[in-house]
Amino acid sequence: MSVNKVILVGNVGKDPEIRHLDSGVAVANFPLATSETYTAKNGEKVTTTEWHNIVLWRGLADVAEKYVTKGRQLYIEGRIRTRSYDDKDGNKRYTTEIYGDVMQLLGSAPGNQSSGGGNSSNTSQQASAPSSQVNEPDFSEPEGDEDLPF
Amino acid sequence: MSVNKVILVGNVGKDPEIRHLDSGVAVANFPLATSETYTAKNGEKVTTTEWHNIVLWRGLADVAEKYVTKGRQLYIEGRIRTRSYDDKDGNKRYTTEIYGDVMQLLGSAPGNQSSGGGNSSNTSQQASAPSSQVNEPDFSEPEGDEDLPF
Amino acid sequence: MSVNKVILVGNVGKDPEIRHLDSGVAVANFPLATSETYTAKNGEKVTTTEWHNIVLWRGLADVAEKYVTKGRQLYIEGRIRTRSYDDKDGNKRYTTEIYGDVMQLLGSAPGNQSSGGGNSSNTSQQASAPSSQVNEPDFSEPEGDEDLPF
Amino acid sequence: MSVNKVILVGNVGKDPEIRHLDSGVAVANFPLATSETYTAKNGEKVTTTEWHNIVLWRGLADVAEKYVTKGRQLYIEGRIRTRSYDDKDGNKRYTTEIYGDVMQLLGSAPGNQSSGGGNSSNTSQQASAPSSQVNEPDFSEPEGDEDLPF
DNA sequence: TTTT
DNA sequence: TTTT
């Protein structure tokens, strides 16, 4: 009886870190920035940036490893997950992450532009970037991550 | 050039706390629970609950003060906001909140049910609880689909 | 590289019609109403109702058959689909439907209310209506926010 | 008590048509394509395209007039609206449109790419494309279209 | 009528 | 730590 849905369009802050659990399951982590601009009372434009901790599993982690790079514009659909951990002093801390269920690579890679950003040398692979969201005709349910310790 | 959107349907964990800033602006805070159930490897059903810190401003805070009570089912549309604060030891901590932009009171107040939750004695005001955004349809039959092959 | 997503919270206009394709696949169709109220220039409140043609497949059609009745409040997440058909005069017509991917039964059945809507006599089955996706939280107090400055 | 929300990421099929009502209010209309790809039983990849009739009002229509061109990738958030009209034979027909409330220009204009699409000569103005979604600090409500005949 |  |  509930819904926990997040929709983000933003820019990747760092190249993803990819880990593999002992089970072999791939996990990708990276920050995604969204920005809001408003006009303050004094007429000045103010931009605030929100950083989201994105976590992707399995197939989406693989797509991230291949195609997601710093600066890339992304659409992410997922859910909010707050987990606790113990910090170095043994105190309980909380961190909130976005578990992505759908990802779309938007626009083109920043290195593709003539404006000279130039931090990417992998231009060619963008051309073959597959959609990360595929609709199967048999409507099989998306696989869960029930057995994962998160 | 970005989107930061959250859509939640869940149940209120505590009656809202209402504060008023020096400017007179009202702010409401309350936790909202969303739950997921999945079947573990051993076949057992497992439910995990996610708690969201909801923050409402101005008019929505007023609506919350009047109509939002513990147990109430809500639709919240808003955005994610992570802010930092200093804990009692002077260490920087982060907390993630959902700033609500749209709220809909769903179903009926829990005190209305015969199931005896019974933490609410304000049943009557729920009956007249106005929608915070739109009204109920009148359930007149949808017109104009008589000749359509549905 | 695209997104086609619809999120609706509304009320069911008619009991669903259930069909079974030759392949045995179940399909449910029913109208869902969403309403908007605004204040016209003359200060009068005006409500407009939008009717959505909902289409559910397979497991969701089965849930609809069991638990969705006229008047019921639903959350539907899905996508827009416009299809063409030939009308009785052989002209091409178009109809737009919402293919539901997620459904949540909200609130309680209308027959449960004391307010006398009374178009439903199947109260008892609603009481045991399971969530079509997740469970209810247990309303244990959210833990871990005692020391946070909310 | 209802929600009618659409979220689209797609490509513009034609340059927008801009009209001005007698009241001076600007209206923009254009088609937006979203595509789904799935693998059929025979292993073949099949892509289906859905065309959405986008309608933008006032300020968003002005932004569309300046920055939206054929081929452009857009994020649109809005609501579904089905309206009736009489066709040339006096029969009642229905058409479904998406009234956009938020628009984000994604990626870069197609004419910017070195791949030579080249239907756009307005490259420079993209650089100064303002965000179409501005958050004001005073949280003023978005202006409605109450007085419009739709 | 778009795009990959 | 991103982007316009």
Side-chain angles (χ1 to χ4, degrees):
Chain A
M1 301 279 265
S2 60
V3 175
N4 173 0
K5 181 161 286 287
V6 176
I7 288 171
L8 302 174
V9 174
N11 292 279
V12 174
K14 288 185 191 173
D15 285 350
E17 291 174 18
I18 314 291
R19 292 176 303 126
H20 290 268
L21 303 188
D22 290 346
S23 61
V25 169
V27 191
N29 288 268
F30 58 89
L32 188 78
T34 57
S35 303
E36 284 185 81
T37 300
Y38 60 89
T39 305
K41 283 182 178 175
N42 60 11
E44 208 178 347
K45 294 255 180 181
V46 180
T47 296
T48 64
T49 295
E50 188 69 29
W51 286 99
H52 309 271
N53 303 309
I54 307 296
V55 182
L56 304 176
W57 298 91
R58 302 169 189 269
L60 278 187
D62 297 335
V63 174
E65 185 169 25
K66 286 193 195 141
Y67 301 111
V68 171
T69 52
K70 181 177 169 178
R72 182 88 206 207
Q73 190 180 35
L74 290 187
Y75 170 93
I76 294 277
E77 185 180 323
R79 54 211 136 96
I80 301 174
R81 188 74 192 278
T82 297
R83 61 181 176 82
S84 65
Y85 62 94
D86 293 325
D87 71 7
K88 58 182 193 301
D89 302 324
N91 295 314
K92 206 167 196 175
R93 300 294 169 218
Y94 297 89
T95 187
T96 296
E97 298 169 316
I98 306 302
Y99 280 27
D101 295 313
V102 177
M103 176 170 66
Q104 299 283 350
L105 308 171
L106 299 177
S108 53
N112 265 353
Q113 304 299 70
S114 58
S115 50
N119 64 329
S120 169
S121 61
N122 52 3
T123 299
S124 63
Q125 69 182 195
Q126 303 295 342
S128 62
S131 168
S132 59
Q133 184 179 31
V134 173
N135 263 314
E136 299 188 43
D138 61 356
F139 294 88
S140 63
E141 291 301 303
E143 182 177 18
D145 50 9
E146 304 83 23
D147 52 339
L148 294 178
F150 291 86
Chain B
M1 301 285 264
S2 60
V3 174
N4 173 358
K5 179 158 290 284
V6 176
I7 288 171
L8 302 173
V9 174
N11 293 278
V12 174
K14 290 183 189 174
D15 286 349
E17 292 174 17
I18 313 292
R19 293 177 301 128
H20 290 268
L21 304 187
D22 291 346
S23 61
V25 169
V27 189
N29 288 267
F30 58 89
L32 186 79
T34 58
S35 304
E36 282 185 83
T37 299
Y38 58 86
T39 306
K41 281 183 179 176
N42 59 12
E44 209 179 347
K45 294 256 179 181
V46 181
T47 297
T48 63
T49 296
E50 186 70 29
W51 287 98
H52 309 272
N53 304 307
I54 307 297
V55 183
L56 303 176
W57 298 91
R58 301 168 188 268
L60 279 187
D62 297 336
V63 174
E65 184 169 25
K66 286 190 194 144
Y67 301 112
V68 172
T69 52
K70 182 179 169 178
R72 182 88 208 205
Q73 190 180 35
L74 290 186
Y75 170 94
I76 294 278
E77 184 180 323
R79 53 211 137 98
I80 301 174
R81 186 75 189 279
T82 297
R83 61 181 177 79
S84 65
Y85 62 95
D86 293 325
D87 71 7
K88 58 185 191 300
D89 302 324
N91 295 313
K92 204 167 198 174
R93 301 292 170 218
Y94 296 89
T95 185
T96 296
E97 299 169 316
I98 306 302
Y99 280 29
D101 295 313
V102 176
M103 176 170 65
Q104 299 283 349
L105 308 170
L106 299 177
S108 54
N112 267 351
Q113 304 298 70
S114 58
S115 51
N119 64 328
S120 170
S121 60
N122 52 3
T123 298
S124 63
Q125 69 179 199
Q126 304 295 341
S128 61
S131 165
S132 60
Q133 195 181 50
V134 288
N135 283 351
E136 295 191 44
D138 59 5
F139 291 108
S140 61
E141 293 304 305
E143 44 176 336
D145 63 353
E146 298 82 13
D147 52 339
L148 294 179
F150 298 131
Chain C
M1 299 284 263
S2 60
V3 175
N4 173 0
K5 181 162 286 287
V6 175
I7 289 171
L8 302 173
V9 175
N11 293 279
V12 174
K14 290 184 189 174
D15 286 350
E17 291 173 18
I18 313 291
R19 293 177 300 127
H20 291 268
L21 304 187
D22 290 346
S23 62
V25 169
V27 190
N29 288 266
F30 57 89
L32 188 79
T34 58
S35 303
E36 284 185 82
T37 299
Y38 58 88
T39 306
K41 279 183 176 174
N42 60 11
E44 208 179 346
K45 294 257 181 182
V46 179
T47 296
T48 64
T49 296
E50 186 70 29
W51 287 98
H52 308 271
N53 302 309
I54 307 297
V55 182
L56 305 176
W57 298 90
R58 300 170 190 267
L60 279 186
D62 297 335
V63 174
E65 184 168 25
K66 286 191 194 140
Y67 302 112
V68 171
T69 52
K70 182 178 170 179
R72 182 87 207 208
Q73 190 180 36
L74 291 186
Y75 170 94
I76 295 278
E77 184 180 323
R79 53 212 137 96
I80 301 174
R81 187 75 191 279
T82 298
R83 62 181 175 81
S84 65
Y85 63 95
D86 293 325
D87 70 7
K88 58 184 190 299
D89 302 324
N91 295 313
K92 206 168 196 174
R93 301 293 169 217
Y94 296 89
T95 185
T96 297
E97 300 169 315
I98 306 302
Y99 280 28
D101 295 312
V102 176
M103 176 170 65
Q104 299 283 350
L105 308 170
L106 299 177
S108 53
N112 266 351
Q113 304 298 72
S114 58
S115 50
N119 64 328
S120 169
S121 61
N122 51 4
T123 299
S124 62
Q125 70 179 196
Q126 303 296 341
S128 61
S131 165
S132 61
Q133 195 181 52
V134 290
N135 285 350
E136 295 191 45
D138 59 4
F139 290 109
S140 62
E141 294 303 307
E143 44 175 338
D145 63 353
E146 300 81 13
D147 52 341
L148 295 178
F150 296 132
Chain D
M1 299 282 265
S2 61
V3 174
N4 173 359
K5 179 160 289 285
V6 176
I7 288 171
L8 302 174
V9 175
N11 292 278
V12 174
K14 290 185 191 174
D15 286 350
E17 290 174 18
I18 313 292
R19 293 177 301 125
H20 291 268
L21 304 186
D22 290 346
S23 62
V25 169
V27 190
N29 288 269
F30 58 89
L32 188 78
T34 58
S35 304
E36 284 185 81
T37 300
Y38 61 87
T39 305
K41 282 182 178 175
N42 60 11
E44 209 179 346
K45 294 255 179 182
V46 180
T47 296
T48 63
T49 295
E50 187 70 30
W51 287 98
H52 309 273
N53 303 309
I54 307 296
V55 183
L56 304 176
W57 297 91
R58 301 169 191 269
L60 278 187
D62 297 335
V63 174
E65 185 169 25
K66 285 192 194 141
Y67 301 112
V68 172
T69 52
K70 182 178 169 177
R72 182 89 207 206
Q73 191 180 36
L74 290 186
Y75 170 95
I76 295 277
E77 184 180 324
R79 55 211 136 98
I80 301 174
R81 188 73 191 281
T82 297
R83 61 181 176 81
S84 65
Y85 63 95
D86 293 325
D87 71 8
K88 59 184 191 303
D89 302 324
N91 295 313
K92 207 168 196 175
R93 301 292 169 219
Y94 297 87
T95 186
T96 296
E97 299 169 316
I98 306 303
Y99 280 29
D101 295 313
V102 176
M103 176 170 65
Q104 299 283 349
L105 308 172
L106 298 178
S108 53
N112 265 351
Q113 303 299 70
S114 59
S115 51
N119 65 330
S120 170
S121 61
N122 53 1
T123 299
S124 62
Q125 70 183 195
Q126 303 295 341
S128 62
S131 168
S132 60
Q133 184 179 33
V134 173
N135 263 313
E136 300 188 43
D138 61 356
F139 293 89
S140 63
E141 290 301 304
E143 183 176 17
D145 50 11
E146 304 85 21
D147 51 339
L148 295 178
F150 293 84

